[in-house]
Amino acid sequence: MKKSSALVAVAAAALRGCRGVGLVLCLQVGGAALAQPTVSPVLMNLIRQTVESHPSVRMESAFVRAAKEDVSAADWQRFPTLAAQTSSNTPRLSTQLSLEQPLWTGGRLDAQRDMARAQEALQAAQKREVQYQLASKVVDSWVAMVQADERIRETTRTIEQLDRYKALIRRRVEAQVSPQIEFTLLEWRTFQARVDLQQTRTARTLSRNRLRQLVGREPESDTEWDAEQPLAALALAASDTRQALGLQIDDAIDVHPSVRKARERARVVQYQADIQRAGLGPEVYLRAQYRAGGAAVPGERSVFVGVRYQPGAGLSSLALSRAASERAQGQAFAAETVQRELNEQMRTDLENMASAQMRAEALATAVESSAAVLGSNEKLFVAGKRSWQEVLNTVREGGDNRLALVDARAALLAASYRLQLVRGDMDWQRNAP
């Protein structure tokens, strides 16, 4: 009884200690936490080069700097405005200097400053969104290239297998054990495999060209951009992180650059509405003037408080204010739309990961079965119990299964990397300003 009580006390203490890190993690089998997402170092380096040096990113960086200057200009609007005027419409040259300080603008200056800051945040979000889009293109191109490499290896393996059969069938045809059509059929299957190989090589070249345009340079060697691990190992590491990628989806979407961009645009439009609303009222200002020459008394000075009211034509200012308010409400709905689309995208990628993982597991078993069936059919063909057509069909089935396995692993890997991008889990995203 004492031993059971002691175990209960230890378990209770352990559960209390779990509050800081989450009960679910503490109840993992063997105490192991969920595997954390990882990215191929080769791919990460390509992404980093692209998001730092691509012309579109440099363009957005210039817009961000311009927005910072707009913020500075909005801050300077609170300072006095100096004006100088000289005219010769009188016998004597007339000069006027004035200094005007706004005293009350109905919130217009505050709204202009807030709008400039929101515009700066909008430009920063726009830059991060462009970087995210470029990174997505790098991921798709790189995974397609890795997939093509694996397909080339598997297709070459099929061609080598068919080439090994040629000596066997040639001897059988010469010995009149097999008809000539069997050798012709073998050559036709080999030709088909070589056509598939050429198409895959073309696809790889296109993917590599897309990477070259994104990164903006040529690779230093033919293998610089190749995966440091086989696709099977990369897909296995990605499948282990599926559960971790499915956590805290809403939090990840909340900080996504597209969502931030939509929200900042809504803020900009809202401040535009505030500026329009402030224009419906008068402005109070303090002005100091100095006049010299002309009909004025030499050295005339004056200081006064004035009121300026410019409502515009008819009720146009009121209509413009209502229009700006409606646009602000529409932009708020646009931000919610972006959130829902990203949520759908992430959950679709999670489902694609799960589906690709199940396909990969089933296809791995099918590949093993195809190899066993092929070995059996080869022996039965020599014994005269299987036709040559059946042997070649088994070869094609095994090759198709291997290619389908490659495609499933590539889909799993691509979905994993896309999820990490949307979540902002990659190093360059966490370190972005």
Side-chain angles (χ1 to χ4, degrees):
M1 181 66 68
K2 292 181 179 180
K3 185 176 181 180
S4 300
S5 301
L7 290 174
V8 171
V10 171
L15 290 176
R16 286 195 299 270
C18 289
R19 293 175 182 174
V21 296
L23 180 59
V24 175
L25 293 181
C26 290
L27 294 180
Q28 292 291 325
V29 177
L34 292 175
Q36 294 304 308
T38 58
V39 181
S40 164
V42 175
L43 174 59
M44 182 58 69
N45 186 45
L46 291 171
I47 292 176
R48 188 175 293 109
Q49 293 178 48
T50 302
V51 300
E52 290 177 356
S53 62
H54 197 274
S56 60
V57 177
R58 293 183 177 181
M59 177 187 68
E60 296 299 334
S61 297
F63 290 159
V64 171
R65 293 192 297 270
K68 290 181 182 294
E69 295 299 330
D70 288 338
V71 172
S72 179
D75 290 335
W76 280 108
Q77 292 297 315
R78 296 179 176 275
F79 287 77
T81 301
L82 176 65
Q85 179 180 350
T86 300
S87 61
S88 59
N89 57 352
T90 59
R92 297 177 56 191
L93 193 65
S94 174
T95 302
Q96 176 178 321
L97 299 176
S98 65
L99 195 66
E100 184 176 307
Q101 171 65 49
L103 299 178
W104 185 79
T105 61
R108 178 178 60 83
L109 293 180
D110 290 338
Q112 287 178 341
R113 180 194 58 192
D114 293 338
M115 187 182 72
R117 292 178 177 175
Q119 187 70 36
E120 179 187 7
L122 171 61
Q123 291 297 336
Q126 170 73 16
K127 175 183 175 180
R128 288 193 291 270
E129 184 184 47
V130 169
Q131 290 176 318
Y132 162 76
Q133 293 170 349
L134 289 172
S136 298
K137 293 179 180 179
V138 173
V139 166
D140 292 339
S141 298
W142 187 80
V143 172
M145 190 179 70
V146 173
Q147 179 182 5
D149 286 336
E150 293 290 336
R151 289 181 66 93
I152 288 173
R153 277 190 281 271
E154 294 300 336
T155 306
T156 302
R157 178 181 170 185
T158 299
I159 293 174
E160 291 174 349
Q161 192 171 30
L162 293 174
D163 286 340
R164 287 194 298 268
Y165 287 153
K166 286 186 177 180
L168 171 64
I169 298 302
R170 186 178 290 110
R171 290 194 302 268
R172 291 177 62 89
V173 170
E174 291 174 353
Q176 298 184 352
V177 177
S178 296
Q180 178 65 33
I181 189 61
E182 292 187 352
F183 188 81
T184 303
L185 180 60
L186 175 60
E187 286 189 322
W188 171 245
R189 291 291 178 88
T190 304
F191 173 76
Q192 287 180 316
R194 293 188 184 279
V195 171
D196 294 339
L197 178 62
Q198 184 58 43
Q199 290 176 344
T200 305
R201 285 175 174 167
T202 301
R204 184 189 188 279
T205 301
L206 293 175
S207 299
R208 194 177 181 85
N209 288 339
R210 285 194 295 268
L211 272 180
R212 187 181 295 109
Q213 294 300 320
L214 290 168
V215 178
R217 68 174 181 86
E218 295 284 342
E220 296 180 359
S221 65
D222 292 338
T223 60
E224 181 188 2
W225 294 349
D226 292 349
E228 70 284 353
Q229 290 181 305
L231 178 59
L234 293 173
L236 179 61
S239 64
D240 292 339
T241 64
R242 183 165 59 89
Q243 298 299 328
L245 290 173
L247 299 176
Q248 300 177 335
I249 289 180
D250 293 335
D251 293 341
I253 293 175
D254 194 58
V255 297
H256 192 275
S258 296
V259 175
R260 287 186 174 182
K261 175 184 172 182
R263 288 175 178 170
E264 295 301 335
R265 180 176 283 117
R267 289 180 59 206
V268 169
V269 176
Q270 181 60 57
Y271 290 133
Q272 289 175 344
D274 293 342
I275 294 173
Q276 290 287 344
R277 193 177 300 109
L280 297 176
E283 293 185 15
V284 181
Y285 59 90
L286 174 67
R287 174 177 289 182
Q289 290 186 165
Y290 174 80
R291 295 181 181 180
V297 178
E300 178 185 4
R301 297 177 178 85
S302 62
V303 178
F304 59 90
V305 175
V307 177
R308 182 185 298 113
Y309 182 52
Q310 297 175 334
L315 300 177
S316 60
S317 297
L318 182 61
L320 289 174
S321 176
R322 289 197 298 262
S325 297
E326 291 297 332
R327 281 194 293 270
Q329 185 176 5
Q331 287 297 330
F333 289 132
E336 184 179 351
T337 300
V338 173
Q339 283 183 290
R340 294 190 180 187
E341 290 175 351
L342 286 172
N343 192 296
E344 179 184 2
Q345 176 185 338
M346 290 189 70
R347 297 187 184 281
T348 299
D349 283 334
L350 281 170
E351 291 299 324
N352 288 338
M353 280 191 71
S355 175
Q357 185 173 355
M358 288 188 294
R359 289 201 313 272
E361 293 172 354
L363 286 168
T365 302
V367 167
E368 294 178 359
S369 300
S370 297
V373 171
L374 177 60
S376 175
N377 284 347
E378 287 176 345
K379 295 177 181 178
L380 292 174
F381 170 72
V382 174
K385 297 181 179 179
R386 285 289 186 273
S387 67
W388 183 236
Q389 179 77 34
E390 290 175 312
V391 174
L392 293 183
N393 287 345
T394 308
V395 173
R396 183 173 60 184
E397 180 183 352
D400 291 345
N401 287 337
R402 293 196 302 273
L403 293 178
L405 178 58
V406 169
D407 294 342
R409 287 169 173 169
L412 173 60
L413 187 63
S416 172
Y417 288 160
R418 283 195 298 267
L419 278 170
Q420 292 185 59
L421 278 175
V422 176
R423 289 171 55 89
D425 289 340
M426 295 189 177
D427 292 342
W428 67 271
Q429 293 174 303
R430 291 194 295 264
N431 298 331

